Amino acid sequence: MAHWQGTDFTVDGREPVSAEDHYRIGLHCWNSAPHRAAAPYFLETAAGAGHEAAVELLGHIAYSQGHYAIAVPLLRRSTGSPRAAYYLATLYQQGCPEAGLAQSFDEAAHHYRAAAGLGEPEAMLALGELYLERLLPLTRTPAEHALEYFLAAAECGHPYAQYRAAEIYRTLYQDIERAAVLYRACIDNPMTGRHALGSMMALQSQAHLREEAATRAARAARQRREAVNPMEGRGDFI
């Protein structure tokens, strides 16, 4: 058995012997509130033996606890992790003196792109926002750059990306139909209710859909009137 502060841990009832065994115990501890403090003890043993997932999880733990000087070397080792790349990007975007990182939007974008390439929608959103704020070099309009990344995140099912893309279509392109599709996707997305801005997104999306429906109804009514009286509205009759 493996001991930690008076508690015994096993892997399927046997003594942990391999890096994978210690990783499994560390992962279990991290996901179990009563034993969470024990997680680094077992993960460090696994990481010391070269277990990549243990290194990545240690980086996540250090980052989530605000121990950035500890987190950064671990995150750098986790080259295939979208989460690690995203964390590094956020630290570069804000600057992190504790970890020796000066603020750099170019470095932030580099790591956001790495995370986005590994399928992390939060990184896609972050890139879109950096372009909208003109913090990265532009080859097109800021909205075109941003929309590319917002739509990519929306395709991953991210509710805020669906909402942000809809807002760009509605406000910058006046493309009500495309905006409506994305507003509807945001409303129907089961993740919307769990998002920090979920209530706001749902209410605003519903309001814009009602507005779009009213616009369609008014347009249809006008077309019917013009079909009955083609001269109406021309201003060239008495």
Side-chain angles (χ1 to χ4, degrees), residues 176-177 180 209 211-223:
I176 304 302
E177 292 184 1
L209 285 174
E211 180 181 349
E212 194 269 340
T215 300
R216 281 202 318 269
R219 185 186 304 120
R222 184 172 63 252
Q223 289 172 344

Side-chain angles (χ1 to χ4, degrees), residues 64-171:
S64 64
Q65 293 177 340
H67 304 314
Y68 302 126
I70 296 172
V72 166
L74 296 165
L75 298 174
R76 290 194 188 282
R77 290 171 60 186
S78 304
T79 55
S81 165
R83 179 167 63 180
Y86 176 77
Y87 289 164
L88 282 171
T90 64
L91 293 174
Y92 272 112
Q93 182 174 348
Q94 300 300 322
C96 183
E98 175 188 339
L101 303 182
Q103 185 182 51
S104 170
F105 296 120
D106 288 339
E107 281 293 326
H110 169 74
H111 291 289
Y112 278 137
R113 289 191 181 101
L118 293 167
E120 175 52 66
E122 291 289 351
M124 301 171 197
L125 270 167
L127 281 167
E129 297 292 356
L130 286 174
Y131 276 115
L132 273 184
E133 295 172 18
R134 298 176 180 268
L135 295 173
L136 296 176
L138 300 170
T139 58
R140 294 169 285 164
T141 67
E144 287 175 311
H145 281 292
L147 192 56
E148 175 187 350
Y149 286 105
F150 290 163
L151 288 174
E155 289 178 4
C156 293
H158 197 293
Y160 188 62
Q162 293 165 342
Y163 178 79
R164 291 291 281 131
E167 287 286 279
I168 288 180
Y169 274 128
R170 181 180 65 85
T171 61

Side-chain angles (χ1 to χ4, degrees), residues 170-189:
R170 181 180 65 85
T171 61
L172 299 182
Y173 290 99
Q174 286 78 53
D175 190 333
I176 304 302
E177 292 184 1
R178 288 186 180 179
V181 170
L182 287 157
Y183 283 132
R184 175 56 61 190
C186 180
I187 292 170
D188 294 340
N189 191 333

